[in-house]
Amino acid sequence: MVKRASVAAVGGAMLAGVAGAAFAQDQVGSGSDVDVNVAIEDIDEGVLAMSVDGTTATLVEDGSTGTVRQFTGELPTVTVTDTRSADEIPDGAFWWVEGTAASFTGDAGQDPIGAENLGWSPTLADDGSGAVAVGPDVAPALDTDEDPNNVGLQGRELLAMALTSEEAIGTWEAGAELTLQVPAGTEPGNYTSTITLSLFE
């Protein structure tokens, strides 16, 4: 037992000495490089998203009468982009954009102007495919043409919609002509409202 232990100790010492000598020596040759390669596939899923080209719409007086003052303007362009593949879209899915307005508040304590007085006429930059439809016109409450849809933007109103998301992959642009009608006796001043636009699927 003692002899074996002694031999093992001597052998270990010799290996340690050889290893130490090897590390102390100069490199022989130029060495060799190993390139390590890996292919990481793109697993990013497509997205359905909406953007609005601006945060302000200014209305100017246009078409007023003796009893109704009318102001018109343009909603900034609303862009819906769907970069998903057909396999990523749930069966039967469709998307839509809707808007609703808040009451107009004055900068000098004037009585507010209700959102029912603001209407819109949606527009669509269509490619002719019929994959996306424009929403109906919504007239202001003071509209004198006896329009059955003269409820203004006080509720949730449709701007545009895809009949099926699978057929509407790509980019779509919608807008709207805005019309505000108020009684001729409305207090003068600057008024501000907010239209909230939302994308659903």
Side-chain angles (χ1 to χ4, degrees), residues 8-178:
V10 172
M14 291 179 62
L15 288 174
V18 171
F23 282 115
Q25 299 301 312
D26 294 333
Q27 178 177 327
V28 177
S30 60
S32 298
D33 295 331
V34 176
D35 293 329
V36 179
N37 301 309
V38 61
I40 301 177
E41 297 182 3
D42 183 3
I43 59 172
D44 289 342
E45 296 181 351
V47 295
L48 174 64
M50 180 188 73
S51 62
V52 182
D53 186 22
T55 59
T56 304
T58 301
L59 307 181
V60 296
E61 191 158 9
D62 175 31
S64 295
T65 67
T67 57
V68 176
R69 298 185 69 179
Q70 178 169 285
F71 303 82
T72 62
E74 296 288 333
L75 183 75
T77 299
V78 178
T79 301
V80 176
T81 302
D82 194 348
T83 60
R84 298 173 297 179
S85 67
D87 293 337
E88 294 175 305
I89 298 174
D91 292 340
F94 61 95
W95 57 256
W96 71 97
V97 177
E98 62 183 40
T100 185
S103 294
F104 286 80
T105 57
D107 62 350
Q110 304 98 314
D111 291 337
I113 299 171
E116 70 274 9
N117 294 290
L118 177 65
W120 71 9
S121 180
T123 59
L124 180 69
D126 196 355
D127 66 352
S129 68
V132 175
V134 70
D137 291 352
V138 180
L142 294 180
D143 190 278
T144 57
D145 293 333
E146 297 183 0
D147 190 326
N149 202 26
N150 62 339
V151 295
L153 299 180
Q154 60 182 331
R156 297 166 56 176
E157 299 295 340
L158 179 66
L159 179 68
M161 69 176 296
L163 303 182
T164 66
S165 296
E166 186 174 347
E167 294 182 2
I169 294 173
T171 299
W172 304 87
E173 293 183 350
E177 298 176 6
L178 302 174

